Amino acid sequence: MSKRLFDLVIVVLSVPIWLPVLIGTAVMALVVNGWPVFYPSSRRVYRKESARVYKFRTMVRNAAAIYNRETVPVTNQRFLNTPIRSPLYTPVGRLIERCQFTELPQIFTVLSGKMSLVGNRPLPENVIDSLREVHPMVEERFLAPCGLTGLVQLIGRDEISDRDRLVLEIHYCKGAAQHYSAWMDFQILAFTVFIHSRLMQPFTLDQAHAFIDRFKVQSTEREELSRKAAWHLSERRQNRERRLHAGWKQLERRQTEERRRHAGAPPVTEK
């Protein structure tokens, strides 16, 4: 199953779950926070492609002008993560953020094909520029479509350094590009729900890398089995063709002998 097909199947089958949550959250945000309900921004979503991405507005109306990569001094992290205790959050916005509903509107971006359910989070260009100053490999994190959740969310974005985060994100992208597994993406979705519901412990960095490697090994084993099966199939086909060819040769000899007998000629003996 391709990544795109996986996204469509999961989104369509889960409509009874995410649609009521989306509508209920939107109504609550509208009543408490007022208009606008959604916050749009331009983000890099895949390779060099950018898209207008929507999420629930969880902060005060002028938060984007106050808190962005150009106004906030760079300290330990160049990824721009707003602390949940920041006064920029509205009370209902903080609740939405804690429930991990902020990115739900991006399901429609997934349906449009510009994003995936699972992948690295989309980033503004000014954050990418800031990361590139120290980490030139930042572009490699866009080798696969960005998503609503990923392995970083299983660890916690505040629990991982910029370098470790980029290495993990690139590891996922290369794994998805070379050995994509729908089962891998499905487990990441499930683990996201379990971890944020406190039903399981967050991943460690080593566990996240080992998780990707496990699917790479499984994919390699499947490819080896596929090659062996193709070889055996080819051998059977060649043997069948050889038998068929030998049968045709024998039939031709019989027909030749039959014609010679009818013509009164002596039979041909093989030397």
Side-chain angles (χ1 to χ4, degrees):
M1 180 183 290
S2 68
K3 193 171 181 64
R4 176 62 178 154
L5 181 58
F6 170 81
D7 290 338
L8 292 175
V9 169
I10 296 298
V11 169
V12 171
L13 291 180
S14 61
V15 164
I17 300 173
W18 62 262
L19 188 57
V21 174
L22 181 71
I23 294 173
T25 304
V27 170
M28 179 177 65
L30 178 62
V31 171
V32 180
N33 280 352
W35 193 261
V37 172
F38 303 107
Y39 167 69
S41 62
S42 178
R43 303 287 175 103
R44 177 90 69 86
V45 291
Y46 179 55
R47 295 188 182 273
K48 296 293 184 181
E49 298 177 17
S50 295
R52 196 165 180 80
V53 174
Y54 290 83
K55 62 180 181 179
F56 283 116
R57 182 174 68 84
T58 57
M59 301 183 186
V60 296
R61 288 183 177 84
N62 61 340
I66 299 172
Y67 196 88
N68 60 66
R69 186 68 289 169
E70 295 171 357
T71 60
V72 177
V74 175
T75 54
N76 294 329
Q77 283 191 328
R78 289 177 180 262
F79 282 99
L80 191 63
N81 301 323
T82 310
I84 192 65
R85 294 182 179 85
S86 170
L88 292 173
Y89 284 104
T90 64
V92 73
R94 189 173 287 109
L95 174 64
I96 293 171
E97 189 74 26
R98 288 188 186 278
C99 293
Q100 302 296 315
F101 293 160
T102 310
E103 279 81 26
L104 268 181
Q106 292 167 24
I107 287 180
F108 294 103
T109 313
V110 173
L111 284 172
S112 72
K114 295 178 180 178
M115 284 179 59
S116 178
L117 284 174
V118 177
N120 305 322
R121 292 295 299 142
L123 295 177
E125 288 295 337
N126 57 7
V127 173
I128 298 172
D129 292 339
S130 178
L131 285 165
R132 191 185 294 111
E133 293 175 2
V134 180
H135 308 288
M137 75 284 201
V138 64
E139 295 291 339
E140 295 183 51
R141 77 181 294 280
F142 296 101
L143 292 176
C146 291
L148 272 68
T149 187
L151 287 168
V152 171
Q153 283 65 43
L154 302 186
I155 298 172
R157 65 186 188 183
D158 296 322
E159 307 299 324
I160 186 170
S161 69
D162 287 349
R163 182 186 178 281
D164 287 342
R165 175 173 176 172
L166 285 171
V167 170
L168 179 60
E169 291 177 333
I170 292 169
H171 193 181
Y172 171 81
C173 283
K174 291 183 175 179
Q178 298 170 8
H179 310 280
Y180 177 69
S181 169
W183 179 232
M184 175 176 68
D185 275 3
F186 181 81
Q187 288 192 66
I188 292 174
L189 283 175
F191 290 152
T192 299
V193 175
F194 294 155
I195 289 172
H196 289 292
S197 301
R198 302 185 184 279
L199 298 177
M200 66 180 291
Q201 292 295 318
F203 275 33
T204 64
L205 183 62
D206 289 340
Q207 286 175 331
H209 281 292
F211 177 80
I212 302 173
D213 289 335
R214 184 166 70 248
F215 285 95
K216 289 170 67 176
V217 170
Q218 291 175 358
S219 178
T220 302
E221 291 174 348
R222 285 196 300 269
E223 290 172 0
E224 182 63 26
L225 289 173
S226 178
R227 281 195 295 269
K228 288 181 178 179
W231 182 82
H232 287 302
L233 181 62
S234 176
E235 282 292 303
R236 288 198 297 270
R237 186 181 295 113
Q238 290 176 8
N239 290 335
R240 186 167 60 249
E241 290 174 353
R242 282 194 288 267
R243 289 194 299 268
L244 184 61
H245 180 71
W248 276 109
K249 296 293 289 185
Q250 186 177 9
L251 179 61
E252 288 176 356
R253 285 197 297 270
R254 288 177 181 175
Q255 290 175 341
T256 301
E257 289 296 330
E258 192 72 26
R259 286 194 296 269
R260 291 180 69 85
R261 280 197 298 271
H262 284 302
V268 176
T269 56
E270 295 184 1
K271 296 182 179 181

